[in-house]
C-alpha cells in the first residue's frame, strides 16, 4: 500500500502539484558535470540511447556498484560479477573474451595494467575493452601463436597500485611474457590534484575514528532512519526533511579538496613525473630478471590529445576550463613534466600515446579520459602496432601482413 502511495506522490511532484516539496539544490561541482550531456541522466544521453545493449550494461553496473572487496596491499577490488555484458573474476578484474579460443599454437601471455580506461569504467562490454581489442588484433595477426591476455586494469588504480599488483602476480608465480601499462590520468587527478597517494588511502583513519567514537551505535540508528527518509519522497515532504541535514555514520574526516595553487601543482607534477620514471626503472629491472618484456603508454586525455576535437568535445573541454581550471592546469603541468622527463631519460619502452586517437572523426570522449567503444577500438589499433614494433613481434612470430 505504501509503495502505491509513494508512487502517486512522486507523480504529483513530477506534475508540479506539490509546490511545497523541498528540493535539494546542488551547489558543488561533481564529476557528472564534467561529462558529455551532463544535464541528462546517464541513460538519457545520446550515446547510451543509440547503443542497443546500454540498458543491460547500466543494470549490471548498478549491481556491481553495491560493493567492493578488500585485497591485500592494493586495498580494494571489485566484487565478482557474471553478467551478459561484463564479467568480473574472483580477483576483481574484467575478463577478456577470447575470439580465438580453439586456436592452436604456442601460448604467449600478455598482462595489461591501468585504471578505469583499461578496466572499462564507462559504456563498454568485455569485448569492447582496449585489452580485448588488442588481444583480438594480435591473435589475428599471428596465426601460429595463441595470445592469452589478462586485463588487470581496475577503476581508480594509479601507477602505484599497478606496480604492487605486478609484483604480487610475479611473487605467486604468475609471470607473463609481456606486460603493458597504459595509464597517467589517475596519477594526475589523485597525486597532483588531490595530493593523495591513491584512492581509499584514508580507510585506516576511518576505521580508527569509528572504533574510538562513543556515539557510533547511536549514529547507526539515526543513519538507518535517514536512509529510509532518503528513499521516500513522501516522508521527506511530510516532515520537511532535507538531504543536506544528513548525519554521517562516523566522525567525519574532511574530504580532500583539489589543489588550486599553481606553484603547488607544478611541484606535484614534477614529483609525479619523477616517481613514474622511478617505477618504470623498477619494473624494467624486475622484468629483466624474469624474462618479461614491458612497455609503458602515457595515455591521452581530453586536454593532451592531439586528436581534432569534435564540436561536442570542444564544448566539453571548455566546460572543464570554466568549472575546474585547476584540474586542466594539473594535466598540462604534468604533461609538460613528463615530456621533459621522457626526453632526459630516453627509456626505449615508453610511448607517448597522445596521438593514438588522431584518426577518430567522431566523438570519443565521455569525459576527460574515458572513451567510447569506437574510441577504444582506435586506441587498441595504435596500441597493437606499438606493441608489435616495441617487442619486434613480426620478427619473432611472423605475420599475415
Amino acid at each position: 500500500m505504501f509503495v502505491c502511495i509513494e508512487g502517486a506522490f512522486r507523480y504529483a511532484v513530477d506534475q508540479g502539484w506539490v509546490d511545497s516539496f523541498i528540493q535539494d539544490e546542488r551547489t558543488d561541482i561533481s564529476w557528472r558535470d564534467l561529462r558529455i550531456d551532463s544535464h541528462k541522466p546517464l541513460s538519457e544521453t545520446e550515446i547510451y540511447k543509440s547503443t542497443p545493449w546500454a540498458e543491460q550494461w547500466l543494470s549490471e553496473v548498478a549491481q556491481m556498484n553495491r560493493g567492493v572487496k578488500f585485497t591485500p596491499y592494493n586495498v580494494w577490488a571489485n566484487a565478482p560479477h557474471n553478467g551478459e555484458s561484463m564479467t568480473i573474476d574472483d580477483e576483481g578484474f574484467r575478463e577478456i573474451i577470447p575470439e580465438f579460443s580453439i586456436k592452436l599454437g604456442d601460448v604467449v601471455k600478455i598482462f595489461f595494467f591501468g585504471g578505469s580506461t583499461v578496466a572499462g569504467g564507462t559504456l563498454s562490454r568485455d569485448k569492447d575493452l582496449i585489452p580485448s581489442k588488442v588481444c583480438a588484433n594480435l591473435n589475428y595477426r599471428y596465426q601460429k601463436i595463441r595470445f592469452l591476455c589478462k586485463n588487470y586494469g581496475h577503476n581508480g588504480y594509479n601507477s602505484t597500485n599497478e606496480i604492487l599488483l605486478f609484483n604480487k602476480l610475479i611473487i605467486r608465480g604468475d609471470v607473463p611474457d609481456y606486460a603493458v601499462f597504459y595509464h597517467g590520468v589517475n596519477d594526475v587527478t589523485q597525486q597532483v590534484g588531490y595530493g593523495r597517494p591513491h584512492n581509499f588511502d584514508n580507510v585506516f583513519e576511518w576505521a580508527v575514528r569509528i572504533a574510538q567514537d562513543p556515539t557510533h551505535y547511536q549514529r547507526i540508528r539515526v543513519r538507518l532512519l535517514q536512509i529510509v527518509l532518503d528513499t521516500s519522497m513522501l516522508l521527506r515532504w511530510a516532515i520537511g526533511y532535507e538531504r543536506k541535514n544528513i548525519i554521517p555514520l562516523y566522525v567525519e574526516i574532511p574530504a580532500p579538496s583539489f589543489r588550486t595553487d599553481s606553484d603547488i601543482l607544478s611541484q606535484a607534477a614534477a614529483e609525479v613525473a619523477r616517481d613514474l620514471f622511478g617505477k618504470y626503472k623498477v619494473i624494467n629491472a624486475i622484468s629483466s630478471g624474469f624474462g618479461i618484456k614491458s612497455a609503458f603508454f602515457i595515455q591521452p586525455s581530453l586536454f593532451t590529445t592531439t586528436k581534432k576535437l569534435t564540436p561536442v568535445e570542444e564544448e566539453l573541454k571548455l566546460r572543464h576550463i570554466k568549472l575546474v581550471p585547476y584540474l586542466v592546469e594539473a594535466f598540462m603541468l604534468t604533461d609538460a613534466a613528463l615530456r621533459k622527463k621522457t626526453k632526459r631519460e630516453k627509456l626505449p619502452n615508453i610511448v607517448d600515446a597522445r596521438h593514438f586517437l588522431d584518426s577518430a572523426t567522431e566523438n570519443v570522449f565521455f569525459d576527460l579520459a574515458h572513451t567510447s567503444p569506437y574510441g577504444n577500438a582506435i586506441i587498441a589499433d595504435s596500441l597493437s602496432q606499438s606493441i608489435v614494433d616495441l617487442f619486434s613481434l613480426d620478427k619473432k612470430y611472423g605475420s599475415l601482413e
Side-chain angles (χ1 to χ4, degrees):
M1 175 64 74
F2 180 79
V3 173
C4 295
I5 298 174
E6 173 75 18
F9 182 79
R10 287 174 179 264
Y11 179 78
V13 171
D14 290 341
Q15 297 301 313
W17 299 340
V18 184
D19 297 330
S20 59
F21 177 65
I22 300 172
Q23 296 285 356
D24 300 325
E25 294 184 2
R26 287 181 57 249
T27 58
D28 61 322
I29 296 173
S30 73
W31 289 107
R32 172 176 170 170
D33 298 311
L34 303 175
R35 63 164 172 79
I36 285 180
D37 290 335
S38 61
H39 61 288
K40 299 178 181 179
L42 206 55
S43 60
E44 294 299 318
T45 58
E46 290 303 319
I47 192 163
Y48 280 81
K49 289 170 68 175
S50 62
T51 304
W53 43 267
E55 185 175 351
Q56 173 65 30
W57 184 87
L58 283 170
S59 173
E60 292 189 37
V61 167
Q63 296 175 41
M64 287 172 51
N65 287 342
R66 291 173 184 170
V68 295
K69 65 175 185 177
F70 169 76
T71 183
Y73 308 109
N74 287 92
V75 185
W76 82 100
N78 286 319
H81 173 81
N82 188 8
E84 292 182 25
S85 62
M86 65 181 77
T87 305
I88 307 292
D89 66 18
D90 291 339
E91 292 186 303
F93 300 100
R94 290 285 289 270
E95 290 280 6
I96 290 180
I97 307 300
E99 296 188 16
F100 295 85
S101 57
I102 61 172
K103 183 180 174 184
L104 301 177
D106 295 334
V107 172
V108 175
K109 290 167 54 174
I110 302 184
F111 290 173
F112 293 85
F113 300 87
S116 54
T117 51
V118 173
T122 50
L123 186 65
S124 52
R125 299 163 295 182
D126 293 331
K127 64 181 182 180
D128 299 315
L129 304 180
I130 293 172
S132 297
K133 293 292 186 183
V134 172
C135 197
N137 290 345
L138 294 178
N139 272 307
Y140 177 78
R141 187 181 184 107
Y142 303 104
Q143 293 293 298
K144 297 180 181 180
I145 298 296
R146 183 157 57 103
F147 286 88
L148 294 182
C149 307
K150 179 62 182 177
N151 186 351
Y152 282 110
H154 197 287
N155 294 354
Y157 277 17
N158 64 29
S159 59
T160 303
N161 299 111
E162 295 163 24
I163 192 172
L164 287 172
L165 178 57
F166 178 71
N167 288 344
K168 283 167 60 178
L169 294 170
I170 292 175
I171 289 169
R172 77 183 190 189
D174 200 356
V175 180
D177 297 287
Y178 302 98
V180 175
F181 296 80
Y182 181 86
H183 57 205
V185 166
N186 288 339
D187 289 86
V188 177
T189 55
Q190 295 167 13
Q191 298 179 348
V192 178
Y194 286 107
R196 302 170 61 185
H198 55 76
N199 281 349
F200 301 121
D201 62 306
N202 52 2
V203 168
F204 177 75
E205 189 175 356
W206 284 344
V208 171
R209 293 282 186 104
I210 291 174
Q212 295 176 347
D213 179 12
T215 65
H216 178 58
Y217 292 105
Q218 179 183 353
R219 287 170 177 269
I220 290 177
R221 292 193 295 270
V222 174
R223 186 70 180 93
L224 288 173
L225 175 61
Q226 289 176 326
I227 290 173
V228 173
L229 291 172
D230 199 43
T231 303
S232 173
M233 187 181 291
L234 175 60
L235 290 178
R236 292 203 306 275
W237 172 79
I239 67 173
Y241 170 84
E242 295 183 71
R243 285 193 181 98
K244 67 182 180 181
N245 296 329
I246 193 169
I247 295 176
L249 184 59
Y250 46 82
V251 178
E252 281 194 283
I253 299 171
S257 57
F258 207 95
R259 293 161 162 173
T260 57
D261 185 283
S262 295
D263 291 336
I264 293 176
L265 288 173
S266 180
Q267 180 181 349
E271 291 172 355
V272 163
R274 179 202 65 200
D275 290 351
L276 266 176
F277 276 76
K279 294 166 192 171
Y280 294 161
K281 292 175 183 178
V282 169
I283 292 173
N284 281 340
I286 295 172
S287 296
S288 177
F290 284 87
I292 305 168
K293 300 291 186 181
S294 297
F296 311 97
F297 295 84
I298 301 173
Q299 68 186 110
S301 71
L302 181 66
F303 319 122
T304 60
T305 182
T306 55
K307 171 187 184 293
K308 180 176 175 56
L309 300 181
T310 66
V312 172
E313 291 170 329
E314 284 285 3
E315 188 279 328
L316 182 62
K317 182 177 179 180
L318 290 173
R319 196 188 320 151
H320 278 79
I321 293 172
K322 178 181 178 181
L323 295 177
V324 284
Y326 37 86
L327 175 64
V328 180
E329 184 178 13
F331 271 88
M332 301 313 295
L333 288 169
T334 307
D335 182 63
L338 286 171
R339 282 167 168 273
K340 183 177 180 181
K341 196 72 173 173
T342 300
K343 187 176 181 180
R344 180 183 302 169
E345 296 285 351
K346 295 183 171 61
L347 294 181
N349 56 338
I350 296 176
V351 178
D352 182 351
R354 293 178 311 144
H355 65 283
F356 275 14
L357 287 165
D358 283 3
S359 64
T361 56
E362 303 174 13
N363 297 328
V364 298
F365 284 102
F366 282 113
D367 49 36
L368 62 86
H370 298 102
T371 51
S372 64
Y374 163 71
N376 286 349
I378 292 176
I379 290 172
D381 287 344
S382 296
L383 188 56
S384 300
Q385 188 59 53
S386 292
I387 289 172
V388 168
D389 296 338
L390 278 173
F391 300 145
S392 302
L393 297 188
D394 281 353
K395 183 178 179 180
K396 190 169 185 179
Y397 304 126
S399 171
L400 287 177
E401 300 177 0

